[in-house]
Amino acid sequence: MATLAEPSLAFTRLPHPSLVPADVRDAALTDPGFGKLFSDHMVSIDWSEGADGIGAWHNATVGPLTAIPLHPAAAVLHYAQEIFEGLKAYRLQDGTMALFRPEANAARFNASAKRLAMPSLPEDLFVEACRQLVAVDRSWFPDVQGGSLYLRPFMIATEAFLGVRPAKQYKFMIIASPAGNYFKSGAPAVSIWVSQYTRAAPGGTGAAKCGGNYAASLVPQAEALERGHDQVVFLDAAEHKWIEELGGMNLYFVFEDGTLLTPPLNGTILPGITRNSLLTLAREEGLTVREEPYSIDQWRADAASGKLLETFACGTAAVVTAVGKVTDPVTGEFTIGTGGPGQLTQRLKARLVAIQRGEAEDTHGWVMRLS
Ligand SMILES: *Cc1c(COP(=O)(O)O)cnc(C)c1O
């Protein structure tokens, strides 16, 4: 079991004058959806650079969820200095709240911060901030099938300054949003659209979890939806040939010889924690997992020959989602396997979810119990 370290900064608890009434909250929690409901509290920690050029984190609070004042010249509004994370708090069978590999999110947050020229946040402080928020808002956990309390840590540049350089003031925050199943039930496998747009180029910010990447993916995603598909898949920027990932999920391919393949972490795709966890679980099952480039042409050929049995996407929000159909604007459509979720897709998903929810033994120390 993962354990909590002593945090390097103490949090001040601000009083909440008007909690959402319990009956209103509980009614909303019966159908939480994704990302539309928010809990009562938020975490906030400030960073600023002193005259000596040395920066520090201070003013750590857990208080009422409220709008934040931002100067119109705040750097985030002009040059998009923003990064975020996404992780879920679960309720285990014995009622304990738990997080899944939060140190991995903390480490990735700092990797993103580095790429965006932002200060790093001590990992223990990141995890403690998550713990504090779950502790005050655990009544916002939705007791629905597949439910979780989704945590959204993020950092923005708050300094009012229009010159182009890294800001000298930042705000780290966490908000919590009760979530049901990410994909509405009745969608067993998704249909994806091969985008002519690219998400990330070599040397760019593809490996950082930053809002800017998402801003650039909205038009391609909207195009996919307009054409009747669920998600967009991006190919590499240099050759428009190699499969990278979906807008917010990594991809896995399952072959008839029992091997799995996932595109390598070459700087243009996001290093997913779900991707990494599945890599471990699959290898533990004795499967061979290759981290290798895979081309769109090979994907189509292998699907047609039957060599490729399954394709699935993975990420914290939806965990594992089968890909049933792929449409390329130039070469047309192809179906993977039966067009529905394959066996390995379902088995790996079940194993991961069971570990996350404390229903299977946590042999890797991935589950952090919070109380
Ligand atoms: C967050 C994210 C993922 C999935 O990462 P997880 O850690 O598994 O949630 C994949 N791709 C992109 C672009 C992302 O932003």
Side-chain angles (χ1 to χ4, degrees):
M1 192 186 88
T3 48
L4 275 166
E6 213 30 60
S8 47
L9 192 65
F11 285 79
T12 301
R13 175 79 184 271
L14 307 176
H16 199 309
S18 54
L19 293 170
V20 172
D23 55 333
V24 175
R25 177 196 67 213
D26 292 343
L29 286 178
T30 59
D31 183 20
F34 182 81
K36 60 185 172 92
L37 278 180
F38 298 96
S39 68
D40 284 309
H41 295 86
M42 66 185 193
V43 162
S44 174
I45 315 178
D46 296 324
W47 187 94
S48 51
E49 192 177 296
D52 55 3
I54 297 171
W57 291 100
H58 56 91
N59 194 25
T61 61
V62 182
L65 178 85
T66 177
I68 53 172
L70 213 49
H71 192 286
V76 63
L77 301 176
H78 303 272
Y79 309 125
Q81 248 193 313
E82 189 269 358
I83 58 169
F84 67 95
E85 273 300 324
L87 70 165
K88 286 173 173 175
Y90 301 94
R91 184 142 65 204
L92 306 180
Q93 276 161 327
D94 62 5
T96 310
M97 296 300 293
L99 298 174
F100 184 73
R101 304 186 68 185
E103 337 73 42
N105 293 95
R108 185 172 66 189
F109 191 69
N110 282 336
S112 300
K114 196 168 178 193
R115 181 62 185 85
L116 275 283
M118 301 170 93
S120 70
L121 180 77
E123 287 182 21
D124 62 330
L125 200 50
F126 179 101
V127 175
E128 173 63 11
C130 293
R131 193 191 70 78
Q132 292 265 351
L133 188 56
V134 173
V136 290
D137 280 338
R138 55 179 294 151
S139 60
W140 283 91
F141 178 87
D143 249 327
V144 296
Q145 173 72 28
S148 59
L149 186 59
Y150 181 82
L151 303 183
R152 169 54 61 88
F154 62 100
M155 189 195 332
I156 56 172
T158 51
E159 188 193 358
F161 179 71
L162 293 179
V164 180
R165 57 143 172 83
K168 296 183 178 183
Q169 286 163 19
Y170 297 88
K171 192 180 274 294
F172 168 78
M173 305 187 75
I174 311 180
I175 53 176
S177 175
N181 268 334
Y182 186 68
F183 286 109
K184 291 181 184 69
S185 57
V190 296
S191 150
I192 63 180
W193 168 254
V194 182
S195 188
Q196 299 290 98
Y197 291 97
T198 49
R199 192 191 81 93
T205 56
K209 212 169 172 72
C210 60
N213 289 342
Y214 277 76
S217 76
L218 298 178
V219 163
Q221 176 63 32
E223 189 178 89
L225 290 178
E226 262 164 40
R227 289 165 198 260
H229 307 284
D230 302 301
Q231 291 279 325
V232 60
V233 59
F234 292 103
L235 304 181
D236 77 290
E239 297 180 71
H240 203 71
K241 169 179 178 183
W242 305 105
I243 301 158
E244 300 225 306
E245 60 173 316
L246 306 192
M249 283 187 281
N250 297 118
L251 281 171
Y252 268 94
F253 304 89
V254 182
F255 299 94
E256 65 172 352
D257 65 359
T259 64
L260 274 90
L261 184 153
T262 189
L265 301 179
N266 55 7
T268 55
I269 69 174
L270 205 285
I273 295 162
T274 316
R275 174 190 179 280
N276 178 271
S277 304
L278 292 169
L279 201 69
T280 301
L281 293 182
R283 284 182 176 150
E284 209 171 63
E285 283 203 10
L287 299 166
T288 301
V289 189
R290 294 177 286 136
E291 294 181 81
E292 287 171 17
Y294 193 53
S295 72
I296 177 77
D297 294 338
Q298 198 63 45
W299 192 9
R300 170 190 300 278
D302 290 346
S305 73
K307 198 175 155 200
L308 177 82
L309 300 181
E310 308 175 30
T311 299
F312 62 85
C314 62
T316 296
V319 193
V320 169
T321 305
V323 174
K325 217 170 66 180
V326 183
T327 305
D328 183 299
V330 182
T331 53
E333 176 184 310
F334 60 96
T335 301
I336 295 154
T338 59
Q343 281 182 7
L344 191 67
T345 300
Q346 296 182 73
R347 191 164 85 234
L348 285 174
K349 177 174 188 173
R351 273 198 70 199
L352 184 55
V353 168
I355 295 170
Q356 289 174 333
R357 297 186 177 268
E359 293 152 12
E361 200 189 339
D362 171 31
T363 55
H364 300 284
W366 284 343
V367 176
M368 180 180 280
R369 301 174 79 96
L370 296 180
S371 49

